[in-house]
Amino acid sequence: MKVPVSELLPLVEKPSRYLGLEVNTVHKPEGEVLLRAALVFPDLYEVGMAHLGTQILYGLGNELDGVQVERVFLPGRDMLELLARRGLPLFTLESRTPVSGCQLVGFTLQSELTYTNILAVLQASGIPLLARDRSDEDPLVVGGGPCAFNPEPLWEFFDLFYLGDGEEGWTAMLATLREAHGGGAGRRGRMDALKNLDGIYDPTDFVPGYDEDGSLREIEAVGGKDAASPCTVQSLDYSLPPSSFPVPFLAPVHDRVNIEVTRGCTRGCRFCHAGMVYRPVRQRSAASVLRMADEALGVTGYGDLAMTSLSIGDYGPLDEVLEALMDRYGDSRVAVSLPSMRIGGLTPEVARQIRRVRRTGFTIAPEAGTERLRRVVNKDFTDEEILKTARWVFQHGWEAVKLYFMIGLPTETDADLEGIVGLVRRMAEDAPPRGKVTVNVSPFVPKAHTPFQWAPQPPEPELRRRLQFLQDRLKGKKVQVRWSRTDQALLEAALARGDRRVSKVILQAWRGGALMDGWDEHFDWKIWEGAFDRSGLEPAWYASRARGEDELFPWEHISCGVTKPFLLSEYRKGLRGEATPDCREAGCLGCGVCTPAQMEELPPMREGEPSSGEELEDGHAPLEGDVVARRIRAVFKKVGDLRFLGHLETVKVFERACRRAKVPLAFSGGFSPKPKISFALSLPTGAEGLAEWVDLELSQSMGADFVRDAVNAHLPEGLHIVEAWKAPVDGAALNGRVRGMEYEAALPEPVHDLAGKAASFVRRASIPVVRSRKGRERTVDLKEYLIRLEADDSRTLRFSLALKGEEGSARPGEVLQALLGMDENRLSAVRLTRTRLTFALEAERGGGRQGLARVWD
């Protein structure tokens, strides 16, 4: 069975989420697929497509013979409701197979606030929510990712969990299941086969016991293992296939190539979950990073690349790699960004390199407002170091700085909040006239396997008071404050430190309507409050209660490698305000992750002088634009499901296809260069186009036929350049010449006397329609724009519309609604095609076309 996705796309808000036709995606022939696995990121497409782990696992899994890994994301509410109304199951993107038809469903557990999304995906897929209710016909449901280090609140919904780095474990799971499934193994046999692999945790192998006061008394091991341990990848110097770099149509939250240069961190921030569970530190070699950058940029066509790490300033060969990247790609206007740059990591040479193309923003994460509280969390740098860094950044051309702070950290007082206010005010004073200091404030959330797992989160009313304290004081034209909701933070903390009883709360909340709890506009605390109440549990008991040093944690039997005694020692030091140095500088601190031999192999930290004094030349000079050497004018088709791409999405597809084809687009100048691509007229989303026009301006001369063939080789199915020719470089832009459009509308059912209705419609003296926008209404007369309307038969209309400069034109849907009285649902079933554009009469010089007025067929 295949889900008829194409029939659904006209009825949803963002159809490009569901196309599954992106460049570098994998579509294996049905006859070659022995095992089909759904890789699920339980949030919207635009969030999940930015997730590096999903990209890596997708590519590596599809390298296995006989295995097809397909992507699944949480659908938008409109698609969820549409599937339910039509009795259709949730589907994979690549083959549009029902998720329940896969043999493995693997969820990424990235955030506690996606837990109800997981249930929504299972429900929409027709998979029983509870693991105990599943049969041999159901897929195995496995969860992995950072939240798998305390999976207890989810234990009823998953068959198994995977702990640790996914590269080797994911491919081992797929290969093992391929053999077990091919051998006819039942559900239990498949699970037992997976349990022989490293990193697999079966929650039914452990049984918790509780005291009358609700505290955890014991965790009894009944499955033959005393504890569950993670799987760790020893080296990052592996290669990724092109399928690890799918290029999304709908822009994700981070629309760029991401290359992980370091995994793990030994800075030891005491609140940081990732810094503990992803130890030891491993870094990709300079040669490996450069090779991966070459491959990724080559197969994606991106103009942005991020080197990702928990602390990019500590990456040993950063200066060498950054200079090499800019030397290779600066002329192609590829911008490089460095997220997570700590204080002291920005050197003059790093700044000089990243600003060669575009200043990609600068972020500082002090976390706390005073030096005392920063020592508590183990961020041991001074106010003056923070201010010097910001001052230096502003002086050298950056106009915006982002700051990240937490409220509610252990031992925090109002004096620490005043420290935040003082830091921000002083930084704003140093900002240039158009400068902006953006302050992001998040409540502290205690996490498992961190030194602060013992610490309470302040009660939610107190968090609200502290947030209001900052909001009242952080004002001014150069200061912008953003914040996370305190009730969301309460929920996140309750789930992060939750036990198995919390699974009932999650189920109750989902049944009560909770969904997309990480999105402010969808989060409803009252639903969760009621769910906790009906389950007989208190969220504050999990979130705001300090833990005793000898208390048994729900995740006690799950190891991340860092020992509990080390974490407790760090917690005590934090309360005393003592900082702990980095083990790569001070030697082994006994966290428990590394053997002595592994300590010797830890990559050295980067050495470099911070940006406190050295001046950069031409700090504010914008880039000069390219001289246009050749303009290629092309006519292209946009058909099939790609008709559901929006205009901006189509522009991006062309830009990236040109980059992949190594067609040298010319770029504008300034601090944010843009490629010079212009379209004659945007095509309505959902309409096919048979003769759309685009200009590609190049920085080097190239033949039109070569450009056509090169770009066509890199366009996704459904987009195709039909003809291209050389156009005058100094000619007028296409979008100023369009004077009319011709359409064909294929109706979903026959209309009696359609030809008569069309003739009568054309004879009307006026055809008024009302347009509404932003609460305002205005009346437009379609008669002023309607040139021609006729029926070929009872189901086919052809019509022409005039385009009148700033007045615009009639919309095709307005014509159909006025003629046939169609509502939105019936209108969405019309197959609309723009067959041609007409242009103002003006001869073209030096090309194969003598006049734009000539109709192109």
Side-chain angles (χ1 to χ4, degrees):
M1 171 190 174
K2 301 298 181 185
V3 178
V5 177
S6 297
E7 297 176 10
L8 308 176
L9 296 178
L11 303 172
V12 294
E13 182 182 358
K14 295 183 178 181
S16 54
R17 287 172 172 160
Y18 313 106
L19 297 180
L21 300 171
E22 302 95 327
V23 169
N24 299 329
T25 54
V26 178
H27 302 262
K28 296 184 179 180
E30 289 287 329
E32 297 180 7
V33 177
L34 305 176
L35 180 86
R36 195 178 304 277
L39 185 59
V40 185
F41 192 94
D43 210 324
L44 296 179
Y45 174 97
E46 48 266 47
V47 179
M49 281 299 289
H51 182 243
L52 179 59
T54 297
Q55 297 169 11
I56 291 172
L57 298 185
Y58 178 78
L60 293 178
N62 277 313
E63 287 293 280
L64 296 176
D65 290 339
V67 174
Q68 170 79 66
V69 177
E70 307 194 24
R71 296 161 300 146
V72 179
F73 301 99
L74 176 74
R77 285 180 180 267
D78 55 351
M79 178 62 89
L80 276 176
E81 293 167 0
L82 181 60
L83 291 171
R85 285 199 308 272
R86 298 206 172 186
L88 294 172
L90 182 59
F91 50 89
T92 62
L93 292 188
E94 280 71 12
S95 68
R96 300 178 175 180
T97 298
V99 176
S100 60
C102 299
Q103 288 74 52
L104 174 66
V105 177
F107 281 89
T108 297
L109 307 179
Q110 193 68 22
S111 164
E112 292 85 358
L113 297 181
T114 64
Y115 286 176
T116 55
N117 298 354
I118 294 169
L119 300 189
V121 169
L122 292 174
Q123 174 75 12
S125 303
I127 299 172
L129 298 182
L130 302 180
R132 63 174 177 265
D133 294 337
R134 295 177 194 139
S135 69
D136 283 351
E137 304 304 313
D138 293 308
L140 293 183
V141 180
V142 180
C147 293
F149 284 98
N150 179 25
E152 300 303 283
L154 296 172
W155 80 284
E156 288 194 284
F157 313 123
F158 283 83
D159 300 306
L160 299 168
F161 294 93
Y162 176 79
L163 308 176
D165 298 325
E167 292 94 332
E168 295 172 0
W170 173 245
T171 52
M173 278 192 285
L174 293 172
T176 300
L177 272 184
R178 179 186 57 193
E179 303 308 315
H181 178 67
R187 181 178 186 76
R188 189 69 253 173
R190 285 176 278 152
M191 288 181 63
D192 289 342
L194 290 184
K195 288 173 65 174
N196 290 324
L197 303 175
D198 291 340
I200 296 294
Y201 165 57
D202 182 349
T204 64
D205 286 344
F206 298 86
V207 179
Y210 300 92
D211 286 328
E212 290 184 3
D213 65 357
S215 60
L216 188 62
R217 180 180 67 254
E218 63 177 356
I219 301 175
E220 182 183 0
V222 296
K225 291 183 179 180
D226 293 333
S229 300
C231 186
T232 303
V233 170
Q234 298 303 315
S235 172
L236 298 186
D237 285 330
Y238 55 80
S239 296
L240 289 173
S243 53
S244 277
F245 304 100
V247 185
F249 291 133
L250 181 66
V253 291
H254 300 299
D255 198 10
R256 63 198 183 195
V257 165
N258 291 296
I259 295 180
E260 182 185 32
V261 300
T262 305
R263 187 175 301 174
C265 180
T266 47
R267 286 291 177 180
C269 299
R270 292 172 176 134
F271 56 82
C272 183
H273 184 254
M276 298 297 163
V277 303
Y278 287 128
R279 294 187 179 199
V281 172
R282 291 141 290 167
Q283 76 177 23
R284 199 179 293 274
S285 67
S288 177
V289 171
L290 293 172
R291 182 181 67 251
M292 187 170 287
D294 289 343
E295 293 169 352
L297 292 170
V299 300
T300 63
Y302 267 113
D304 293 88
L305 181 148
M307 298 168 63
T308 67
S309 167
L310 292 175
S311 181
I312 187 63
D314 294 333
Y315 175 54
L318 175 62
D319 300 80
E320 169 194 349
V321 169
L322 189 57
E323 183 175 5
L325 285 173
M326 298 313 302
D327 286 346
R328 293 184 190 187
Y329 294 108
D331 290 343
S332 300
R333 301 297 197 268
V334 173
V336 177
S337 58
L338 304 174
S340 305
M341 178 69 75
R342 75 184 302 272
I343 295 296
L346 180 68
T347 63
E349 183 56 29
V350 167
R352 182 180 292 110
Q353 294 299 333
I354 62 178
R355 71 177 197 160
R356 281 169 60 178
V357 172
R358 185 166 68 244
R359 294 177 178 86
T360 51
F362 191 79
T363 299
I364 304 174
E367 308 297 358
T370 61
E371 295 173 13
R372 180 201 70 81
L373 191 54
R374 285 195 288 277
R375 287 193 296 272
V376 170
V377 303
N378 208 36
K379 284 212 162 190
D380 192 19
F381 42 78
T382 67
D383 291 355
E384 190 53 36
E385 286 175 308
I386 297 171
L387 292 169
K388 272 187 177 181
T389 299
R391 193 177 302 125
W392 191 90
V393 166
F394 284 136
Q395 288 172 351
H396 291 89
W398 278 265
E399 292 187 339
V401 168
K402 290 183 181 179
L403 299 173
Y404 284 87
F405 291 100
M406 288 187 184
I407 56 172
L409 288 163
T411 77
E412 181 182 70
T413 67
D414 282 6
D416 299 300
L417 302 179
E418 288 285 8
I420 294 175
V421 175
L423 265 178
V424 172
R425 287 177 176 172
R426 291 172 65 188
M427 195 173 293
E429 290 173 359
D430 292 332
R434 297 177 58 187
K436 179 73 69 176
V437 178
T438 301
V439 183
N440 295 273
V441 182
S442 300
F444 162 65
V445 175
K447 298 277 186 170
H449 302 287
T450 68
F452 284 171
Q453 64 184 347
W454 283 274
Q457 182 187 69
E460 196 268 336
E462 173 59 18
L463 286 176
R464 265 189 284 125
R465 184 196 70 82
R466 298 186 194 188
L467 178 59
Q468 190 64 53
F469 182 100
L470 295 178
Q471 290 171 335
D472 290 343
R473 291 162 176 79
L474 291 176
K475 297 179 179 178
K477 67 177 183 178
K478 294 183 182 179
V479 177
Q480 181 180 30
V481 182
R482 297 173 179 167
W483 59 89
S484 301
R485 289 175 55 159
T486 55
D487 48 6
Q488 276 178 319
L490 169 59
L491 173 62
E492 185 179 352
L495 297 178
R497 296 206 292 186
D499 52 37
R500 293 191 178 184
R501 295 170 295 184
V502 175
S503 67
K504 307 295 184 188
V505 179
I506 297 170
L507 187 58
Q508 288 274 357
W510 177 75
R511 286 175 173 164
L515 187 68
M516 297 177 65
D517 297 298
W519 296 74
D520 288 355
E521 60 267 37
H522 297 289
F523 180 70
D524 187 344
W525 170 244
K526 290 183 179 179
I527 294 175
W528 282 96
E529 197 171 34
F532 273 101
D533 186 59
R534 288 189 297 275
S535 303
L537 299 172
E538 286 285 341
W541 191 85
Y542 292 98
S544 302
R545 180 177 62 87
R547 304 301 199 260
E549 291 188 353
D550 57 351
E551 183 168 338
L552 196 65
F553 291 123
W555 52 89
E556 197 84 25
H557 56 301
I558 297 172
S559 170
C560 74
V562 180
T563 67
K564 190 174 182 179
F566 175 80
L567 294 174
L568 181 58
S569 171
E570 281 297 293
Y571 178 52
R572 291 169 175 166
K573 290 178 69 175
L575 295 181
R576 295 195 299 267
E578 297 178 13
T580 298
D582 192 301
C583 65
R584 288 193 282 170
E585 294 176 324
C588 182
L589 301 173
C591 77
V593 170
C594 298
T595 64
Q598 288 173 323
M599 272 298 302
E600 294 294 325
E601 296 174 359
L602 288 180
M605 299 186 71
R606 169 173 167 260
E607 296 181 1
E609 293 300 320
S611 53
S612 56
E614 183 179 336
E615 294 298 313
L616 298 184
E617 68 285 352
D618 299 324
H620 298 270
L623 289 170
E624 292 185 4
D626 292 325
V627 175
V628 177
R630 174 63 52 87
R631 174 182 285 175
I632 301 296
R633 180 154 292 158
V635 176
F636 68 93
K637 295 192 300 185
K638 181 180 174 186
V639 297
D641 280 351
L642 255 60
R643 70 188 188 274
F644 293 106
L645 291 185
H647 178 65
L648 294 180
E649 294 165 347
T650 304
V651 174
K652 276 295 182 186
V653 169
F654 268 91
E655 176 192 342
R656 290 168 181 166
C658 288
R659 284 182 178 273
R660 290 193 297 274
K662 298 187 173 12
V663 170
L665 291 171
F667 280 78
S668 64
F671 291 115
S672 298
K674 298 290 190 296
K676 294 185 176 182
I677 301 178
S678 58
F679 289 74
L681 190 67
S682 61
L683 187 65
T685 302
E688 292 184 305
L690 300 184
E692 300 300 303
W693 293 57
V694 61
D695 277 351
L696 306 175
E697 298 191 5
L698 311 184
S699 60
Q700 301 173 26
S701 291
M702 280 187 169
D705 289 348
F706 174 85
V707 171
R708 177 198 62 207
D709 294 343
V711 175
N712 273 339
H714 291 277
L715 286 173
E717 183 179 355
L719 275 173
H720 183 76
I721 297 176
V722 181
E723 187 171 355
W725 63 96
K726 184 176 69 172
V729 169
D730 57 352
L734 275 176
N735 58 8
R737 302 186 185 184
V738 179
R739 293 296 179 265
M741 305 146 284
E742 298 187 8
Y743 289 94
E744 177 185 298
L747 307 180
E749 66 273 328
V751 175
H752 176 68
D753 192 23
L754 183 59
K757 286 182 168 64
S760 176
F761 189 77
V762 171
R763 288 194 299 268
R764 290 168 58 177
S766 66
I767 310 171
V769 297
V770 178
R771 289 180 180 172
S772 298
R773 184 179 181 185
K774 297 182 179 180
R776 296 182 177 180
E777 292 186 347
R778 71 185 184 97
T779 300
V780 175
D781 186 0
L782 299 186
K783 184 71 173 180
E784 295 183 8
Y785 305 102
L786 186 61
I787 299 172
R788 178 176 63 93
L789 173 66
E790 58 190 32
D792 283 2
D793 52 45
S794 63
R795 295 185 60 171
T796 307
L797 282 168
R798 296 183 185 277
F799 55 96
S800 302
L801 300 174
L803 180 63
K804 299 184 177 182
E806 294 183 0
E807 292 182 32
S809 181
R811 299 165 187 161
E814 291 173 332
V815 174
L816 296 174
Q817 285 179 315
L819 172 65
L820 302 173
M822 286 183 158
D823 59 20
E824 289 294 332
N825 282 334
R826 289 182 63 216
L827 187 63
S828 66
V830 174
R831 189 70 173 254
L832 184 68
T833 302
R834 189 157 75 191
T835 56
R836 65 183 59 177
L837 298 172
T838 56
F839 295 83
L841 188 62
E842 182 177 334
E844 293 204 343
R845 300 184 305 252
R849 296 285 175 178
Q850 293 305 310
L852 277 169
R854 175 179 172 181
V855 171
W856 190 90
D857 293 305

